[in-house]
Amino acid sequence: MITCVDRTLDMELVSPVGTRLPVPTHLLYRSQDPLVVEFLFHGLAPSPVSWIISRELLARGTLAPSGEGDVRVWPTGTGPGALLHVLLTPPGGSAHLVAPLPALAQWLFRTYRLVPAAREAEALDLDSHLDRLLNESP
């Protein structure tokens, strides 16, 4: 049984003056945690930098500007050259990354084939998580 959908994608870090630096990125979606996707950015630090983003926010951002606070996502362009912008603003800085929208949308579609939006709550299996938390000894 497939429990994750992953893909390596070349994103680009956009500097304040518009220059772009390639950032190999591993996209990871796990059916056990169906509400989020993980971005693992390689090459920005000695070890991969991980960001967890709402799958719904990412999906909405492929169609129109979405998000507020630490994560904002918006599309630009059309067709094969369309881009998805991801703005991450943790305390003390920000990172503006772009990805090829068609490739990211195709990967995102695969996550919805694994766990459809209407079945996310079932995939969470809250009862077993709660049971494990309540029955663990300190």
Side-chain angles (χ1 to χ4, degrees):
M1 177 177 175
I2 297 174
T3 61
C4 79
V5 178
D6 68 337
R7 177 178 183 149
T8 300
L9 186 67
D10 285 329
M11 294 186 76
E12 294 178 319
L13 180 64
V14 181
S15 77
V17 295
T19 57
R20 295 182 179 188
L21 173 70
V23 178
T25 305
H26 185 196
L27 306 175
L28 184 59
Y29 176 79
R30 297 176 187 92
S31 63
Q32 301 89 330
D33 200 358
L35 300 175
V36 299
V37 297
E38 182 176 13
F39 284 66
L40 287 162
F41 301 110
H42 298 271
L44 296 175
S47 58
V49 175
S50 173
W51 267 85
I52 305 297
I53 299 175
S54 158
R55 181 171 74 154
E56 180 185 358
L57 170 65
L58 189 60
R60 282 186 288 134
T62 64
L63 303 172
S66 300
E68 56 186 56
D70 291 353
V71 181
R72 295 182 184 172
V73 184
W74 68 96
T76 58
T78 59
L83 294 174
L84 183 71
H85 297 256
V86 179
L87 180 62
L88 307 172
T89 55
S94 68
H96 176 190
L97 296 124
V98 294
L101 180 55
L104 198 137
Q106 180 183 37
W107 172 80
L108 193 57
F109 177 75
R110 289 177 48 218
T111 74
Y112 281 102
R113 284 181 43 206
L114 179 62
V115 179
R119 301 194 61 155
E120 290 170 335
E122 294 171 31
L124 276 173
D125 192 14
L126 292 176
D127 290 335
S128 68
H129 288 298
L130 185 58
D131 186 53
R132 190 175 65 242
L133 285 171
L134 293 174
N135 291 317
E136 286 182 0
S137 47

